[in-house]
Amino acid sequence: KTPQLIEQLTIQVEQEALPALREEVVQFIETVLVYKFPKLSREEIQAMFTLDDLKHTRVYQDAKQEGMQQGQIALLLRQLTLKLGSVSQDLRSQIQQLSSTQLESLAEAILDFDRIGDLEAWLQAHS
């Protein structure tokens, strides 16, 4: 029943609401669905919306940003391991706490690192 209800609500909102309100209603509906059906996959929730509607929701944008940051962290840790050898769990934890801007700076700084002490010094200066 939920997909049909969502489709009906979407049509009604498109016909009656202003564009700014439409986006807020879509975000509200998505939030309700995420909490009401926590076991649904992203694809199942997407099937209830048009992809364009979903991409504009805060939940989608936050998840996308988090995924990109996790990918960036994984890549940096791999690069550090290849360049410096084993990276301790403590250093890994510190890297995982960095902001996106700090991660970008670290990605550039890696080029200048020759030993694990360089990473430690960089983290101390930038954390």
Side-chain angles (χ1 to χ4, degrees):
K1 290 183 178 180
T2 303
Q4 291 85 14
L5 180 59
I6 297 300
E7 186 176 342
Q8 290 171 356
L9 285 171
T10 302
I11 291 169
Q12 188 174 359
V13 167
E14 286 176 356
Q15 293 173 349
E16 298 177 16
L18 299 171
L21 180 60
R22 180 177 179 268
E23 185 175 324
E24 288 181 29
V25 170
V26 170
Q27 287 180 2
F28 174 76
I29 293 169
E30 182 190 52
T31 301
V32 169
L33 289 174
V34 169
Y35 286 105
K36 178 76 175 164
F37 303 106
K39 294 185 180 187
L40 286 181
S41 69
R42 182 174 59 104
E43 290 80 17
E44 291 169 318
I45 291 176
Q46 280 180 338
M48 294 181 202
F49 291 93
T50 66
L51 185 58
D52 188 52
D53 286 338
L54 187 61
K55 285 183 177 180
H56 288 84
T57 64
R58 184 175 180 176
V59 171
Y60 181 92
Q61 293 297 322
D62 290 349
K64 181 179 175 183
Q65 180 64 32
E66 185 178 324
M68 289 174 56
Q69 189 164 351
Q70 291 302 316
Q72 187 178 19
I73 289 168
L75 178 60
L76 287 171
L77 290 172
R78 176 143 172 74
Q79 290 173 328
L80 286 164
T81 300
L82 290 171
K83 183 151 186 172
L84 305 175
S86 180
V87 177
S88 72
Q89 186 58 44
D90 180 53
L91 293 175
R92 288 174 178 270
S93 294
Q94 289 180 50
I95 291 167
Q96 290 172 340
Q97 300 303 315
L98 297 175
S99 69
S100 294
T101 304
Q102 291 170 316
L103 290 170
E104 289 176 18
S105 296
L106 178 56
E108 292 175 7
I110 287 174
L111 299 172
D112 297 326
F113 293 170
D114 292 319
R115 55 187 184 80
I116 204 77
D118 296 332
L119 172 60
E120 293 168 340
W122 189 94
L123 287 168
Q124 189 170 21
H126 294 87
S127 295

